[in-house]
Structure formats: structure tokens, C-alpha cells
Amino acid sequence: MSDATRQRVYLVDGARTPFLKARGAPGPFTPVDLSVQAGRPLLARQPFDRTAFDLVILGCVNVIADEMNPARVAALRLGLGEAMVAFTVQINCGSGMQSIDTAYRYIRDGSHQMILAGGTEALSHAPLTLRQSAVEWFGKMNAAKGPLEQAKAMTGIRPDFFKPVVGLERGLTDPITSLNMGQTAEVLAHRFGIDRTSADTYAMQSHHRLAAAQKDGRLSDEIMPAFDRDGTVYDHDDGVRPDSDLEGLAKPKPVFEPPYGKVTAGNASQITDGASWCILASEKAVEAHGLDPLAEITDSEWAALDPSIMGLGPVMSSTPILQRHDLSRDDIGVWELNEAFAAQVLSCLAAWDDADFCREVLGYDSAFGMIDRDRLNVDGGAISLGHPVGTSGNRIVLHLANAMKQRGEKRGIATECIGGGLGGAMMLEAV
């Protein structure tokens, strides 16, 4: 398709729930509950009928058994009509951005005019699973015929059969490299010389920036209060620690590579529940409904790399966009780079500032250069507000649009690393 026949695609509005830190028990909302809590007030403030959407796409990684295809369940609960097609996408940490990207491409190519694209995740509802040895034992018990065979099978029982494993723990371990996500961040920290103090300092700044954004009301148009069945109101991201300091962050021991590792519970993203939606529309739909877009989506990119260094996904996915449009780092007014781990974010910045890496891997003649920290994650990120896996990619795109508008910036990039050795990036421009 030629550029002349492509439709322009706008992010016209969006909203999310507060991100609620998981505290060792199922939280008050399931994935669909969260998407409905964010979606109802968002749709209520639109000037068009809810059935005006052509499609609903929702990212979700840990789908629970009672909500298969959560996109369809959410669409029906949001009153979008029985005729509304809705499907769920899953690309690990990129799922919420994948929903936007799929919608962007459908609208750009002319097959759709307006799409509701979101992400949702309730990590506190991650399923408990049995160990493989326990599954095999239950299989033998089920196949045993008669009392004698059952008694023989019973002799193989072990106490740890009844100690379940949290599915999230297995999901965060790469099946190819057998490294968990924290270990991949340690690989990068070693490669780029990221020290513990630098990682802790970055984490502290993330908390301080989110606390300042909350205090100044910069998130008020983005976050919709959530109400549980008991009437409790949740109105802010509750993982933030405004009093975070280096002394406190120095206390936790390295989680994945003790005793010398750089990744701790204090400088890693939090396990969190939350949902986010974005409304995407063509120029025709914007004019038809009298909409006032937040930003225009102008490009997107996905990249793949060695799973053991998956944290460089933002570098590998953002750089082709910059090169296609002949942009330097100074041309990007705001960056949203999902904070999986402080060491991982700092490694991405170091890679862009490494002349050898940029020449050998990215095809530049010299270093791309160090991104100005005053343009990066200006209101905090996943370290302070949490990383509900299927949601985060959607949140960073929505917040990028809002931050650009608040700061009067022309252009921004949202990007993230993705478990399994992937990266995603999206460029927005002011309208």
C-alpha cells in the first residue's frame, strides 16, 4: 500500500485504572473487572454511541479460567453490543502495545475506522499449578484399577506434591535459556557495567517522579477510580514510595545473583494489577464524531533478539523508527521506556551511548548518544507504579500522548522489552 492511500491514525482518548500492588493474595478485581472499571468512564465521556467501534482488541497474558477471551467478555460487559467482534492478543510484556499496533494497522490500511484497544492483567490472580511430579502421580492414581493398584500408587506420594507453584514464577522464566527475567537484566548489567548504586538511584527517581505527578495532578485525566464490590475506592497507583531513598534501597539483597547482583526487589518492577484502554480512530471518524485527538500514531516496530539479553528490546525496536525518519535523539521530546528493571533501562541507555555497539549492531557511524534523563519516563514508571504484564505497553503509549501534550512536545516514542527476546516501539506526533 502506498503512502498516499494510507489513512492517518489518531489516538483520540484513553484511560486506565490505578495500578494496585499485589500483596500475596488475589486482589479485588479480575482481568475483565479491571478492563470494565477503566472502560466505563472512558466510554461515558465520548460523544458517540458505544456500538460505533468496529472492533475491540485486548492484551492479556494471565487469562483466568472464568474469562476466556477476555476481550469479548469485556466488550459485552461494557455494552458494546452482541455484534461487536473482540479478540485477545498475547505477546508477553508487549500485549497492551500489540493491541494498539494491530488497531493502528487495521485503520491505517482502511479496513476499520475506530477501534477500542487495551491491555489488562491481574497478576495477583495468577494461577497456582502442580509440580510435574505431582501431575504424573495423580495420573497414575487416576489410571489405577482396583484397590491393589491404587494402594501401590499411593506409596509414591510425597508431601511436596501438595505445595503448588505460582504460575507467574514459571511464566517469568524463559523456556529457551532457562533464565528468569531478572537474570537477563543481570546479564546486561554485567555487559554494560551498571553498578548497584546507579540502579538504586534510578529506582529512587522513579518513585519521586511518580509521587510528584500524583501531587501535581498530572495523572488525573488518565486514571479512573475503581470501585470494588464492597464499595472501596481505589484512586491512585499504590506501589509508590514517596520517601524512597538510597539508604533504604541499599538494604535489599540481590534476588537473582547473590551476593554481587544488581537487581533487587527495590529496583525492579512491581507485581501489579491494572488495565488500560486507548481509542484509535481514522481521520474520517475524527471528523464524523467531532473528536479532539491526543496525538497521531506515525510509526511502529517490533524486533527480535537473543532471549538472554531481551532487555535490549527497546534499543532494537526504537532505532529502526528513528533511522526510517532520519531522527536524532534531540528530535524525540519524550520517551516512555518501560521499567522492567532499573539495570535494564540503564543498559539500554548505555547501549545507545556505546560507539562500538552502535556501529556493530545498529548500523550507525558513531554513538547515537545518551538520552536526556529529563525526557525519559518523566512521571515515573513500572518500578514505582508496577508492571501488569499485559497492560504496560498500553499504559506507556497512553501516558506518552498525555505527557507530550502537557509538555508541549512535538514527538515521542514508547518502547519496551518483552520476555522471550522481543521489543516493541511506537512513535507519536502532536496534532
Side-chain angles (χ1 to χ4, degrees):
M1 177 177 288
S2 68
D3 291 340
T5 58
R6 291 182 175 181
Q7 296 195 95
R8 300 176 72 176
V9 183
Y10 297 95
L11 197 171
V12 298
D13 201 358
R16 68 176 178 90
T17 66
F19 281 12
L20 307 178
K21 186 176 181 179
R23 289 179 165 83
F29 306 106
T30 68
V32 169
D33 288 339
L34 289 161
S35 62
V36 171
Q37 291 281 342
R40 281 176 176 159
L42 173 63
L43 297 178
R45 69 191 187 196
Q46 304 308 316
F48 51 82
D49 188 87
R50 296 186 181 196
T51 58
F53 290 104
D54 298 310
L55 181 66
V56 175
I57 311 173
L58 185 65
C60 187
V61 178
N62 288 275
V63 177
I64 68 172
D66 294 331
E67 297 176 350
M68 290 298 162
N69 191 10
R72 174 63 172 169
V73 181
L76 292 172
R77 285 182 58 185
L78 287 170
L80 300 183
E82 294 179 358
M84 183 61 61
V85 176
F87 61 83
T88 304
V89 294
Q90 203 271 60
I91 182 174
N92 288 341
C93 314
S95 302
M97 183 180 287
Q98 178 67 69
S99 71
I100 297 175
D101 186 62
T102 302
Y104 160 66
R105 294 171 188 272
Y106 280 166
I107 295 172
R108 182 195 65 183
D109 296 345
S111 62
H112 296 66
Q113 298 300 320
M114 194 157 60
I115 297 175
L116 182 62
T120 189
E121 203 75 71
L123 292 179
S124 68
H125 287 257
L128 300 177
T129 63
L130 293 173
R131 300 167 191 276
Q132 185 61 32
S133 56
V135 173
E136 292 171 358
W137 178 80
F138 277 110
K140 290 179 180 178
M141 282 294 295
N142 186 58
K145 298 177 180 179
L148 289 178
E149 285 192 19
Q150 290 175 350
K152 183 179 179 180
M154 280 293 294
T155 62
I157 193 171
R158 298 204 313 264
D160 65 359
F161 287 176
F162 302 97
K163 184 180 180 181
V165 177
V166 178
L168 180 62
E169 179 182 336
R170 295 172 64 176
L172 293 178
T173 300
D174 183 78
I176 304 301
T177 65
S178 297
L179 297 175
N180 62 48
M181 297 301 99
Q183 289 173 311
T184 68
E186 293 285 11
V187 171
L188 292 181
H190 177 74
R191 163 64 177 82
F192 291 100
I194 308 302
D195 59 47
R196 170 71 182 273
T197 300
S198 296
D200 287 346
T201 299
Y202 183 92
M204 178 184 70
Q205 292 174 344
S206 180
H207 283 280
H208 291 177
R209 289 183 177 191
L210 176 57
Q214 291 177 335
K215 182 179 179 181
D216 296 342
R218 294 198 295 273
L219 306 178
S220 58
D221 290 337
E222 182 174 314
I223 297 179
M224 301 294 106
F227 304 85
D228 70 16
R229 298 186 182 190
D230 297 326
T232 303
V233 181
Y234 303 86
D235 61 3
H236 68 282
D237 304 313
D238 66 2
V240 63
R241 297 190 295 274
D243 58 351
S244 183
D245 59 30
L246 289 178
E247 182 180 0
L249 286 165
K251 293 178 181 178
K253 302 296 183 184
V255 177
F256 305 104
E257 296 293 336
Y260 302 115
K262 310 303 186 293
V263 179
T264 72
N267 61 37
S269 57
Q270 301 178 37
I271 297 173
T272 307
D273 299 350
S276 174
W277 289 107
C278 290
I279 296 174
L280 274 66
S282 67
E283 191 167 20
K284 179 180 178 181
V286 166
E287 293 174 355
H289 298 292
L291 304 177
D292 183 19
L294 289 171
E296 181 181 357
I297 301 175
T298 53
D299 206 350
S300 66
E301 180 75 20
W302 300 91
L305 65 163
D306 183 341
S308 68
I309 53 171
M310 68 93 197
L312 292 180
V315 176
M316 304 307 295
S317 56
S318 299
T319 301
I321 294 177
L322 298 165
Q323 293 170 330
R324 272 199 295 271
H325 296 267
D326 194 24
L327 299 172
S328 71
R329 68 180 187 279
D330 292 333
D331 293 317
I332 306 301
V334 187
W335 293 79
E336 281 290 318
L337 198 164
N338 191 47
E339 298 172 351
F341 305 93
Q344 171 263 325
V345 176
L346 294 174
S347 293
C348 287
L349 301 185
W352 268 313
D353 200 38
D354 185 314
D356 290 338
F357 183 91
C358 287
R359 278 193 297 265
E360 296 169 8
V361 179
L362 302 180
Y364 284 114
D365 293 330
S366 59
F368 174 73
M370 181 62 68
I371 293 173
D372 186 344
R373 290 285 296 277
D374 289 336
R375 300 184 181 191
L376 174 69
N377 298 340
V378 295
D379 295 319
I383 289 172
S384 52
L385 60 84
H387 179 22
V389 179
T391 309
S392 291
N394 201 274
R395 182 201 71 82
I396 62 174
V397 175
L398 172 60
H399 188 68
L400 175 66
N402 286 325
M404 287 170 54
K405 191 169 186 177
Q406 290 167 1
R407 295 163 68 95
E409 295 290 352
K410 178 182 178 181
R411 189 180 290 110
I413 284 182
T415 185
E416 59 190 335
C417 63
I418 300 170
L422 298 169
M426 186 163 285
M427 186 165 72
L428 306 184
E429 294 191 11
V431 293

mmCIF file of all heavy atoms in Angstrom, residues 44-68:
data_model
loop_
_atom_site.group_PDB
_atom_site.id
_atom_site.type_symbol
_atom_site.label_atom_id
_atom_site.label_comp_id
_atom_site.label_asym_id
_atom_site.label_seq_id
_atom_site.Cartn_x
_atom_site.Cartn_y
_atom_site.Cartn_z
ATOM 1 N N ALA A 44 -18.149 6.630 28.709
ATOM 2 C CA ALA A 44 -19.205 7.556 29.114
ATOM 3 C C ALA A 44 -18.907 8.991 28.687
ATOM 4 O O ALA A 44 -19.846 9.791 28.505
ATOM 5 C CB ALA A 44 -19.401 7.492 30.626
ATOM 6 N N ARG A 45 -17.641 9.330 28.524
ATOM 7 C CA ARG A 45 -17.309 10.718 28.158
ATOM 8 C C ARG A 45 -17.144 10.917 26.646
ATOM 9 O O ARG A 45 -16.751 11.998 26.207
ATOM 10 C CB ARG A 45 -16.050 11.173 28.891
ATOM 11 C CG ARG A 45 -14.741 10.526 28.471
ATOM 12 C CD ARG A 45 -13.638 10.885 29.455
ATOM 13 N NE ARG A 45 -12.310 10.437 29.021
ATOM 14 C CZ ARG A 45 -11.251 10.359 29.824
ATOM 15 N NH1 ARG A 45 -11.377 10.709 31.099
ATOM 16 N NH2 ARG A 45 -10.082 9.967 29.350
ATOM 17 N N GLN A 46 -17.472 9.890 25.862
ATOM 18 C CA GLN A 46 -17.345 10.013 24.411
ATOM 19 C C GLN A 46 -18.635 10.548 23.792
ATOM 20 O O GLN A 46 -19.733 10.264 24.273
ATOM 21 C CB GLN A 46 -16.983 8.664 23.790
ATOM 22 C CG GLN A 46 -15.722 8.035 24.350
ATOM 23 C CD GLN A 46 -14.529 8.972 24.334
ATOM 24 O OE1 GLN A 46 -14.299 9.671 23.331
ATOM 25 N NE2 GLN A 46 -13.781 9.006 25.432
ATOM 26 N N PRO A 47 -18.532 11.290 22.678
ATOM 27 C CA PRO A 47 -19.720 11.863 22.033
ATOM 28 C C PRO A 47 -20.406 10.924 21.048
ATOM 29 O O PRO A 47 -21.307 11.340 20.327
ATOM 30 C CB PRO A 47 -19.128 13.079 21.296
ATOM 31 C CG PRO A 47 -17.753 12.647 20.926
ATOM 32 C CD PRO A 47 -17.278 11.794 22.072
ATOM 33 N N PHE A 48 -19.975 9.665 21.003
ATOM 34 C CA PHE A 48 -20.555 8.725 20.056
ATOM 35 C C PHE A 48 -21.129 7.521 20.798
ATOM 36 O O PHE A 48 -20.800 7.258 21.950
ATOM 37 C CB PHE A 48 -19.503 8.262 19.026
ATOM 38 C CG PHE A 48 -18.223 7.758 19.644
ATOM 39 C CD1 PHE A 48 -18.121 6.462 20.131
ATOM 40 C CD2 PHE A 48 -17.117 8.588 19.735
ATOM 41 C CE1 PHE A 48 -16.944 5.993 20.698
ATOM 42 C CE2 PHE A 48 -15.929 8.134 20.297
ATOM 43 C CZ PHE A 48 -15.842 6.843 20.783
ATOM 44 N N ASP A 49 -21.970 6.768 20.106
ATOM 45 C CA ASP A 49 -22.575 5.577 20.685
ATOM 46 C C ASP A 49 -21.529 4.478 20.834
ATOM 47 O O ASP A 49 -20.608 4.371 20.022
ATOM 48 C CB ASP A 49 -23.714 5.077 19.788
ATOM 49 C CG ASP A 49 -24.492 3.955 20.439
ATOM 50 O OD1 ASP A 49 -25.429 4.237 21.193
ATOM 51 O OD2 ASP A 49 -24.140 2.785 20.194
ATOM 52 N N ARG A 50 -21.697 3.643 21.842
ATOM 53 C CA ARG A 50 -20.713 2.598 22.114
ATOM 54 C C ARG A 50 -20.600 1.583 20.978
ATOM 55 O O ARG A 50 -19.571 0.926 20.828
ATOM 56 C CB ARG A 50 -21.063 1.873 23.411
ATOM 57 C CG ARG A 50 -21.001 2.782 24.632
ATOM 58 C CD ARG A 50 -21.213 2.033 25.916
ATOM 59 N NE ARG A 50 -21.169 2.961 27.058
ATOM 60 C CZ ARG A 50 -21.028 2.606 28.324
ATOM 61 N NH1 ARG A 50 -20.924 1.314 28.621
ATOM 62 N NH2 ARG A 50 -20.991 3.493 29.283
ATOM 63 N N THR A 51 -21.635 1.451 20.200
ATOM 64 C CA THR A 51 -21.611 0.489 19.099
ATOM 65 C C THR A 51 -20.890 1.045 17.865
ATOM 66 O O THR A 51 -20.812 0.360 16.839
ATOM 67 C CB THR A 51 -23.036 0.076 18.715
ATOM 68 O OG1 THR A 51 -23.783 1.255 18.340
ATOM 69 C CG2 THR A 51 -23.739 -0.607 19.880
ATOM 70 N N ALA A 52 -20.341 2.256 17.975
ATOM 71 C CA ALA A 52 -19.655 2.860 16.833
ATOM 72 C C ALA A 52 -18.301 2.220 16.553
ATOM 73 O O ALA A 52 -17.745 2.393 15.464
ATOM 74 C CB ALA A 52 -19.485 4.364 17.056
ATOM 75 N N PHE A 53 -17.765 1.484 17.514
ATOM 76 C CA PHE A 53 -16.486 0.814 17.294
ATOM 77 C C PHE A 53 -16.631 -0.299 16.262
ATOM 78 O O PHE A 53 -17.659 -0.971 16.194
ATOM 79 C CB PHE A 53 -15.948 0.226 18.600
ATOM 80 C CG PHE A 53 -15.497 1.251 19.599
ATOM 81 C CD1 PHE A 53 -16.270 1.547 20.706
ATOM 82 C CD2 PHE A 53 -14.305 1.938 19.426
ATOM 83 C CE1 PHE A 53 -15.867 2.490 21.637
ATOM 84 C CE2 PHE A 53 -13.884 2.886 20.342
ATOM 85 C CZ PHE A 53 -14.669 3.170 21.445
ATOM 86 N N ASP A 54 -15.578 -0.497 15.503
ATOM 87 C CA ASP A 54 -15.547 -1.604 14.550
ATOM 88 C C ASP A 54 -15.008 -2.882 15.184
ATOM 89 O O ASP A 54 -15.254 -3.979 14.669
ATOM 90 C CB ASP A 54 -14.654 -1.255 13.350
ATOM 91 C CG ASP A 54 -15.163 -0.056 12.589
ATOM 92 O OD1 ASP A 54 -16.358 -0.030 12.260
ATOM 93 O OD2 ASP A 54 -14.368 0.864 12.329
ATOM 94 N N LEU A 55 -14.244 -2.734 16.277
ATOM 95 C CA LEU A 55 -13.518 -3.878 16.813
ATOM 96 C C LEU A 55 -13.007 -3.542 18.211
ATOM 97 O O LEU A 55 -12.741 -2.379 18.525
ATOM 98 C CB LEU A 55 -12.325 -4.188 15.894
ATOM 99 C CG LEU A 55 -11.408 -5.360 16.224
ATOM 100 C CD1 LEU A 55 -12.149 -6.686 16.113
ATOM 101 C CD2 LEU A 55 -10.191 -5.355 15.283
ATOM 102 N N VAL A 56 -12.858 -4.586 19.033
ATOM 103 C CA VAL A 56 -12.221 -4.462 20.347
ATOM 104 C C VAL A 56 -11.052 -5.440 20.397
ATOM 105 O O VAL A 56 -11.202 -6.620 20.064
ATOM 106 C CB VAL A 56 -13.207 -4.773 21.493
ATOM 107 C CG1 VAL A 56 -12.488 -4.767 22.847
ATOM 108 C CG2 VAL A 56 -14.352 -3.764 21.505
ATOM 109 N N ILE A 57 -9.884 -4.936 20.790
ATOM 110 C CA ILE A 57 -8.695 -5.776 20.942
ATOM 111 C C ILE A 57 -8.149 -5.545 22.341
ATOM 112 O O ILE A 57 -7.989 -4.400 22.773
ATOM 113 C CB ILE A 57 -7.602 -5.426 19.910
ATOM 114 C CG1 ILE A 57 -8.187 -5.351 18.500
ATOM 115 C CG2 ILE A 57 -6.467 -6.444 19.966
ATOM 116 C CD1 ILE A 57 -7.194 -4.839 17.460
ATOM 117 N N LEU A 58 -7.838 -6.620 23.050
ATOM 118 C CA LEU A 58 -7.379 -6.501 24.439
ATOM 119 C C LEU A 58 -6.177 -7.408 24.660
ATOM 120 O O LEU A 58 -6.225 -8.603 24.356
ATOM 121 C CB LEU A 58 -8.507 -6.890 25.400
ATOM 122 C CG LEU A 58 -8.238 -6.719 26.896
ATOM 123 C CD1 LEU A 58 -8.064 -5.253 27.261
ATOM 124 C CD2 LEU A 58 -9.379 -7.332 27.711
ATOM 125 N N GLY A 59 -5.094 -6.861 25.183
ATOM 126 C CA GLY A 59 -3.934 -7.654 25.558
ATOM 127 C C GLY A 59 -4.113 -8.233 26.952
ATOM 128 O O GLY A 59 -4.560 -7.546 27.861
ATOM 129 N N CYS A 60 -3.790 -9.500 27.120
ATOM 130 C CA CYS A 60 -3.846 -10.138 28.438
ATOM 131 C C CYS A 60 -2.979 -11.390 28.387
ATOM 132 O O CYS A 60 -3.098 -12.187 27.463
ATOM 133 C CB CYS A 60 -5.277 -10.491 28.829
ATOM 134 S SG CYS A 60 -5.468 -11.114 30.516
ATOM 135 N N VAL A 61 -2.127 -11.553 29.391
ATOM 136 C CA VAL A 61 -1.214 -12.694 29.412
ATOM 137 C C VAL A 61 -1.740 -13.800 30.322
ATOM 138 O O VAL A 61 -1.878 -14.943 29.906
ATOM 139 C CB VAL A 61 0.201 -12.257 29.847
ATOM 140 C CG1 VAL A 61 1.141 -13.455 29.925
ATOM 141 C CG2 VAL A 61 0.751 -11.210 28.879
ATOM 142 N N ASN A 62 -2.037 -13.463 31.568
ATOM 143 C CA ASN A 62 -2.533 -14.461 32.522
ATOM 144 C C ASN A 62 -4.055 -14.497 32.497
ATOM 145 O O ASN A 62 -4.735 -13.962 33.384
ATOM 146 C CB ASN A 62 -2.027 -14.133 33.932
ATOM 147 C CG ASN A 62 -0.548 -14.415 34.080
ATOM 148 O OD1 ASN A 62 -0.138 -15.532 34.353
ATOM 149 N ND2 ASN A 62 0.266 -13.382 33.892
ATOM 150 N N VAL A 63 -4.605 -15.099 31.455
ATOM 151 C CA VAL A 63 -6.063 -15.223 31.343
ATOM 152 C C VAL A 63 -6.552 -16.227 32.377
ATOM 153 O O VAL A 63 -6.004 -17.325 32.487
ATOM 154 C CB VAL A 63 -6.450 -15.682 29.929
ATOM 155 C CG1 VAL A 63 -7.946 -15.897 29.819
ATOM 156 C CG2 VAL A 63 -5.963 -14.668 28.897
ATOM 157 N N ILE A 64 -7.576 -15.866 33.132
ATOM 158 C CA ILE A 64 -8.099 -16.798 34.129
ATOM 159 C C ILE A 64 -9.189 -17.669 33.507
ATOM 160 O O ILE A 64 -9.798 -17.306 32.494
ATOM 161 C CB ILE A 64 -8.613 -16.068 35.383
ATOM 162 C CG1 ILE A 64 -9.863 -15.232 35.079
ATOM 163 C CG2 ILE A 64 -7.524 -15.183 35.978
ATOM 164 C CD1 ILE A 64 -10.504 -14.652 36.332
ATOM 165 N N ALA A 65 -9.439 -18.818 34.125
ATOM 166 C CA ALA A 65 -10.312 -19.824 33.533
ATOM 167 C C ALA A 65 -11.737 -19.330 33.320
ATOM 168 O O ALA A 65 -12.425 -19.774 32.397
ATOM 169 C CB ALA A 65 -10.320 -21.078 34.415
ATOM 170 N N ASP A 66 -12.208 -18.409 34.157
ATOM 171 C CA ASP A 66 -13.586 -17.932 34.051
ATOM 172 C C ASP A 66 -13.767 -16.826 33.021
ATOM 173 O O ASP A 66 -14.891 -16.348 32.829
ATOM 174 C CB ASP A 66 -14.069 -17.412 35.418
ATOM 175 C CG ASP A 66 -14.165 -18.521 36.449
ATOM 176 O OD1 ASP A 66 -14.411 -19.673 36.051
ATOM 177 O OD2 ASP A 66 -13.977 -18.239 37.649
ATOM 178 N N GLU A 67 -12.676 -16.405 32.367
ATOM 179 C CA GLU A 67 -12.764 -15.274 31.448
ATOM 180 C C GLU A 67 -12.010 -15.553 30.146
ATOM 181 O O GLU A 67 -11.186 -14.772 29.696
ATOM 182 C CB GLU A 67 -12.189 -14.005 32.101
ATOM 183 C CG GLU A 67 -12.950 -13.551 33.332
ATOM 184 C CD GLU A 67 -12.306 -12.349 34.017
ATOM 185 O OE1 GLU A 67 -11.159 -11.981 33.651
ATOM 186 O OE2 GLU A 67 -12.942 -11.789 34.924
ATOM 187 N N MET A 68 -12.269 -16.685 29.541
ATOM 188 C CA MET A 68 -11.605 -16.989 28.287
ATOM 189 C C MET A 68 -11.984 -15.954 27.225
ATOM 190 O O MET A 68 -13.135 -15.555 27.117
ATOM 191 C CB MET A 68 -11.971 -18.401 27.819
ATOM 192 C CG MET A 68 -11.355 -19.478 28.706
ATOM 193 S SD MET A 68 -9.546 -19.381 28.658
ATOM 194 C CE MET A 68 -9.108 -20.316 30.118
#
